[in-house]
Amino acid sequence: MKKTVLELIPEHIKALAGYVPGKHIREAHRESGVAMVKLASNENPFGPSPRAVEAIRAAAHEVNLYPDNDATELRLALATRHGLAPEQVLLADGSLGILDIVARTLLTPGHSCITSERSFISYTIVTQAAGARLITTQMTDHAYDLDLISAAIDDVTRVIILANPNNPTGTMFDADAFDRFLQRVPDHVLVVLDEAYSDFAESFAAQHGLIYSRSMEHVRAQHTNLLVLRTFSKAHGLAGLRVGYGCGHPKLLEYFARVRNAFSVTGVAEAAALAALQDEAHISMTVKNNLAGAVWLIDHLSELGITAVPTSANFVYFETDENAAALAKKIQAEGVIIRPLGAWGISNGIRVTIGTPEQNERFLSAVKKVMAPAMLPAK
Ligand SMILES: Cc1ncc(COP(=O)(O)O)c(C=O)c1O
């Protein structure tokens, strides 16, 4: 008997866990019947820049046409912004789009990708979907241990993916630590440095007198085995439009461009990203709100006896004595969607996006209301 298509699905695909997204606001509203604030996916709580919305309206008239496959205008603007040649920038449908290209280009069966445990779940998915092996190293104090990662490199390692800051723990390593690490990585391994939260991390690092990253300097110096990922989904407020980019060696990007799905950045997305990039006031307002919100949330959680990990991103991570999924459900019933981290293998881990001051207060009062009384400190 010949096998059916279903029976022929490869084992590594059957074993995939699939992405578990933050709950959509409409779905949560349907479930809980109350107006919702979403603090589950690290989006910009102020929405997109009004200039981006205007650009989206203008670009809507051209959606009968295929977009510019290279998103040339945006690519040039980003190259100028980072002091790079246009050939050192590749755009795709989110940084997830670029990660997918990296995996399909370099991660064939028999090869491996190294990252840390408790990091972004998409790294697992793209690696395993490509049939490659994922190796995760342990964290130290909720942060990437770069020494363990470099010690795990062997002949079949093809890619290392580092989230800086990390999602979900919010911790970062500074430019000096990364530069030392990069020197130890052999030429047969591509380092993918995912800087999705760079705008926020820069502001936290400056507060602590640290240099966040010299990643673009390495790209400028034509480093051959480094790819830096950035996105318009976070500080720029365009998560729903899917625009991200990779900066790296032109030859590497040339191969990636062949693998990328054609037209993966729409004309509407390109126009919005260009406008968002220019609206520096919107980004700096977002970053300032985030710095203040981080302090406020961490302090107020601490008053409730909850120790949150100091963050360098636009979210806060903490662990509870209760099951996180059950706690998130109760908080959702109070009108706030947060992210329980069971899918990351952290059954007592919670990640909450830093919102506007009103949203943060709403989250805190929900926590106060639903947390088991025994967990709250005695008055
Ligand atoms: C570390 C990290 N990288 C990448 C992404 C996804 O970015 P994009 O929307 O550009 O695909 C996220 C989103 O949560 C993230 O946390």
Side-chain angles (χ1 to χ4, degrees), residues 19 41-42 93-97 99 119-120 122-123 163-167 194-197 229-234 239 242-245 315 351:
Y19 189 76
S41 301
N42 309 336
D93 46 342
S95 27
L96 286 180
L99 279 169
S119 193
F120 190 36
S122 292
Y123 304 159
N164 192 37
N166 183 44
N167 175 6
D194 182 348
E195 297 189 330
Y197 302 97
L229 300 188
R230 296 279 177 100
T231 180
F232 283 88
S233 299
K234 305 299 175 187
R242 316 302 306 124
V243 198
Y245 57 103
F315 52 85
R351 193 193 68 200

Side-chain angles (χ1 to χ4, degrees), residues 59-68 263 265-268:
H61 297 286
E62 283 193 3
V63 296
N64 57 316
L65 303 175
Y66 282 103
D68 170 4
F263 308 122
V265 178
T266 69
V268 172

